[in-house]
Amino acid sequence: MELLKIYECLCDRTRLRLLNLLSHGPLCVCHFQEILGEPQVKISKHLAYLRARGLVDVERQGSWMIYELPFKPSRELRANLACLQDCAAEEAVFRRDLARLRKVDLACAPVAAVRRTGARGRCC
Amino acid sequence: MELLKIYECLCDRTRLRLLNLLSHGPLCVCHFQEILGEPQVKISKHLAYLRARGLVDVERQGSWMIYELPFKPSRELRANLACLQDCAAEEAVFRRDLARLRKVDLACAPVAAVRRTGARGRCC
DNA sequence: GATTCATATTCCTTTGCAGGTATATGTTTC
DNA sequence: GAAACATATACCTGCAAAGGAATATGAATC
């Protein structure tokens, strides 16, 4: 994966927040909405942007779309995501997002479980 | 330093090349021109961009402007520059630039020496 | 099968560069 | 101090991409 493409994905605040969250596991769109507090279109378009460039994968689960980091990320991507995670720990926005992530994970069935069991219901 | 600002600086190929070179020591503008083979305006404007955001420092030495990485980079900047250097080693453009850098360093008096001794003359 | 839910896509407007040309500024040299 | 050199700035054009509103798609539910 070309290095420049990675940085192009990282140079937007919303996308940084999305990737920061995804570093902790797969998530569906409504979770992102809930956590970021941003309109659905915005989230959806940035996820499409990331997807088009191979930074995230998607899998449909019923009517939910579950996004996650690639299973086998390239060396460059891995290095940069590690770097991001390291640096994000120092900035309030990202820490707040992670705090909200924990709450959501308690409220909703974690995506991983949904996948395994196929359990559904309303999301957020 | 805000993480997003760093990535905004990294999301352009020319700036990546400049920073890659600067990771190996200070350089003046004409060296960048020589190595990148890009017009002076382009180089100069990208250096100004980086400077305005604190990614590089400048020092005038006679009629030359010597650019270098900040003496005390922030934690985030340090991490990302390390990551860049690591990843850049895998991509041809960056390796070619470094090869040319070595030649320029032999041909011109290295910038560091110029600074110490004040030795001058024509540059490139 | 109509409705609701979850998400994506289209269309539009605005904005931030990127790149080029021309010109300005500051420095050295003769 | 005029000319040559090194670099920066102003101005213009084009384009990608961000954000919002409206709409489309596709799945689940009743």
Side-chain angles (χ1 to χ4, degrees):
Chain A
M1 179 177 312
E2 204 199 348
L3 194 52
L4 180 58
K5 289 288 167 217
I6 297 180
Y7 288 129
E8 283 171 351
C9 288
L10 297 179
C11 70
D12 175 275
R13 170 161 287 117
T14 304
R15 290 197 291 267
L16 281 182
R17 295 174 73 187
L18 296 175
L19 290 169
N20 177 49
L21 288 170
L22 284 175
S23 291
H24 295 259
L27 280 172
C28 75
V29 179
C30 59
H31 283 152
F32 287 121
Q33 282 181 247
E34 183 82 354
I35 296 172
L36 300 200
E38 298 276 6
Q40 181 257 326
V41 201
K42 190 170 171 179
I43 305 275
S44 196
K45 279 202 283 189
H46 281 295
L47 285 169
Y49 184 105
L50 291 173
R51 186 187 179 186
R53 286 154 185 83
L55 279 257
V56 302
D57 286 339
V58 210
E59 181 196 341
R60 159 155 260 141
Q61 194 73 31
S63 58
W64 304 359
M65 296 296 271
I66 300 183
Y67 284 82
E68 63 189 326
L69 296 179
F71 181 64
K72 272 269 183 205
S74 70
R75 183 181 138 78
E76 303 84 70
L77 181 54
R78 203 156 7 93
N80 273 291
L81 288 176
C83 188
L84 169 59
Q85 220 184 329
D86 183 33
C87 296
E90 310 261 310
E91 276 181 43
V93 212
F94 302 112
R95 279 210 306 269
R96 243 184 291 131
D97 285 345
L98 289 181
R100 291 206 199 94
L101 172 63
R102 271 172 238 122
K103 283 188 196 165
V104 165
D105 261 349
L106 292 177
C108 303
V111 172
V114 170
R115 264 178 169 175
R116 257 185 293 106
T117 65
R120 291 297 313 287
R122 301 205 22 208
C123 191
C124 301
Chain B
M1 180 177 310
E2 204 198 348
L3 194 52
L4 180 58
K5 289 289 166 214
I6 295 179
Y7 288 129
E8 283 171 351
C9 288
L10 297 178
C11 71
D12 174 274
R13 171 162 286 118
T14 304
R15 290 196 291 268
L16 282 182
R17 295 174 73 189
L18 296 176
L19 290 169
N20 177 48
L21 288 171
L22 284 175
S23 292
H24 295 260
L27 280 172
C28 74
V29 180
C30 58
H31 284 152
F32 288 121
Q33 282 180 248
E34 183 82 356
I35 296 171
L36 299 201
E38 298 277 6
Q40 180 257 325
V41 201
K42 190 168 171 179
I43 305 275
S44 196
K45 280 203 282 189
H46 281 295
L47 285 170
Y49 185 105
L50 292 173
R51 185 186 180 187
R53 285 153 185 84
L55 281 253
V56 302
D57 287 338
V58 212
E59 181 196 341
R60 158 155 260 141
Q61 194 75 30
S63 58
W64 305 1
M65 297 295 272
I66 300 183
Y67 285 82
E68 63 188 328
L69 297 178
F71 181 63
K72 272 268 181 201
S74 70
R75 185 180 138 77
E76 302 85 69
L77 181 54
R78 203 155 7 94
N80 273 290
L81 287 176
C83 189
L84 169 60
Q85 218 185 329
D86 184 34
C87 297
E90 311 261 309
E91 278 181 42
V93 211
F94 302 113
R95 279 209 306 268
R96 243 184 292 130
D97 285 345
L98 290 182
R100 290 208 200 95
L101 172 62
R102 271 172 239 121
K103 282 188 199 164
V104 165
D105 261 349
L106 291 178
C108 303
V111 172
V114 171
R115 263 180 171 174
R116 258 186 292 106
T117 65
R120 290 298 312 288
R122 299 200 30 202
C123 192
C124 301

